[in-house]
Amino acid sequence: MVSVTRAVFGDLPSGAGTVEKFQLQSDLLRVDLISWGCTITALEVKDRQGRASDVVLGFAELEGYLQKQPYFGAVVGRVANRIAKGTFTLDGKEYKLAINNGPNSLHGGIRGFDKVLWTPEVLSNGVQFSRVSPDGEEGYPGELKVWVTYTLDGGELKINYRAQASQTTPVNLTNHSYFNLAGQGSPNIYDHEVTIDADAFLPVDETLIPTGEVAPVQGTAFDLRKPVELGKHLQEFHINGFDHNFCLKGSKEKHFCARVHHAGSGRVLEVYTTQPGIQFYTGNFLDGTLKGKSGAVYPKHSGFCLETQNWPDAVHQPDFPPVLLRPGEEYDHTTWLKFSVA
């Protein structure tokens, strides 16, 4: 059984609307969601002693989510990840997007899907959020109708993304939660064991745009096909962290893509998806300046993201999986986050 409760989370400035909070509770998980950015604000999981801890980084109050912050828990779009130089050409016409990450456009632009109020509908075991992204929003062509549905079943949180476009437009949606399975506020993720089921990854340039090469992971720091302890692995390969797309085995069906195990608590997160890629990000740009829940600060490497998605900058790479949604088609992708104890 799953219970769903609804409450006010806060009011937006200048009478711009009320943000609601939805709490989904099963015998194994508790998930808090808000209608601002379809954001996961808390996710409580039991450890092997049966003690529950909140394992996602974020804020207790709405004000935290309204400040400049790194997409904690939010749905990002119209196009997650980076688009080089913030431009692309479609049917002979050039589109200019907001530049908000060095020379590039990141996660939908300055006011992406994470910075808008969505319309909620309560379901028996979850909540569906919807909105219409108007033609030209952040520079993207066409009107886009979007639905993001969170449902809970025991220890599994399912996230389904659907969209329909009035004009051909790139679409790539994901959730940007930062996890720490030791509990949010723990100082780092170095004691987490990470597995990613990918034989290839996308090398990037100095602005984190894929070079176009699809490189084998074999013999590199990106070979995570067997579990690695993150801290030791970063030291061994002398790398600053990960912020890279791993290329999954191209099935459109549900497939396993990643597993993270925290030996200290016994908590395990497994990720399944219908998407062709997963961005593994180790919180390299966190710097301890944000005050989170329960007075926590979030220094570098204090959380990790596993963002299931299409490959970054696919709008410029004809050999990457297609990212364009055309009128009459439906964008429909699902990701499952499965929590357990080992």
Side-chain angles (χ1 to χ4, degrees), residues 47 124 291 335:
D47 65 10
S124 62
K291 282 279 187 336
T335 292

Side-chain angles (χ1 to χ4, degrees), residues 46-61:
K46 292 173 182 169
D47 65 10
R48 68 166 67 87
Q49 265 80 47
R51 292 178 303 223
S53 287
D54 183 0
V55 299
V56 295
L57 282 54
F59 306 101
E61 312 285 339

Side-chain angles (χ1 to χ4, degrees), residues 235-293:
Q235 276 187 320
E236 182 187 341
F237 285 93
H238 306 291
I239 55 174
N240 178 49
F242 290 95
D243 193 359
H244 295 79
N245 178 79
F246 287 75
C247 307
L248 305 175
K249 321 232 176 4
S251 162
K252 289 195 167 65
E253 302 303 309
K254 177 180 181 179
H255 52 274
F256 167 77
C257 60
R259 183 177 192 268
V260 182
H261 175 223
H262 180 249
S265 64
R267 292 188 186 95
V268 176
L269 166 60
E270 290 181 330
V271 184
Y272 299 79
T273 189
T274 59
Q275 288 277 35
I278 186 166
Q279 185 88 1
F280 179 39
Y281 174 52
T282 49
N284 312 329
F285 295 109
L286 297 176
D287 61 6
T289 56
L290 291 169
K291 282 279 187 336
K293 292 173 279 191

Side-chain angles (χ1 to χ4, degrees), residues 70-212:
Y71 308 97
F72 284 147
V75 165
V76 290
R78 224 177 256 202
V79 176
N81 218 306
R82 292 169 180 85
I83 292 180
K85 307 286 191 288
T87 67
F88 63 91
T89 301
L90 191 53
D91 298 329
K93 182 177 176 186
E94 186 182 50
Y95 292 90
K96 289 188 177 351
L97 310 174
I99 304 291
N100 62 332
N101 184 251
N104 305 315
S105 186
L106 175 67
H107 292 330
I110 291 162
R111 189 171 179 263
F113 288 4
D114 59 300
K115 297 179 186 71
V116 292
L117 190 60
W118 293 64
T119 301
E121 181 188 342
V122 172
L123 310 174
S124 62
N125 60 342
V127 59
Q128 180 177 85
F129 297 102
S130 61
R131 77 174 295 253
V132 176
S133 171
D135 180 18
E137 184 171 60
E138 293 297 301
Y140 286 97
E143 181 183 272
L144 190 75
K145 293 178 178 168
V146 193
W147 298 265
V148 178
T149 307
Y150 293 91
T151 50
L152 188 57
D153 180 8
E156 187 173 82
L157 179 64
K158 177 180 172 184
I159 312 173
N160 174 257
Y161 309 90
R162 286 175 50 231
Q164 295 167 353
S166 68
Q167 248 178 278
T168 301
T169 185
V171 181
N172 182 26
L173 304 175
T174 193
N175 178 278
H176 207 301
S177 288
Y178 291 69
F179 297 97
N180 188 317
L181 298 184
Q184 71 87 27
S186 300
N188 60 61
I189 48 172
Y190 299 142
D191 57 353
H192 288 50
E193 287 178 355
V194 179
T195 311
I196 297 180
D197 187 25
D199 296 331
F201 76 103
L202 299 182
V204 293
D205 68 15
E206 65 281 357
T207 71
L208 299 175
I209 293 289
T211 62

Side-chain angles (χ1 to χ4, degrees), residues 13-35:
S14 312
T18 297
V19 177
E20 291 184 280
K21 180 175 97 170
F22 302 84
Q23 189 166 95
L24 319 184
Q25 176 110 38
S26 72
D27 52 343
L28 297 175
L29 286 187
R30 197 196 91 197
V31 184
D32 290 356
L33 305 158
I34 59 171
S35 52

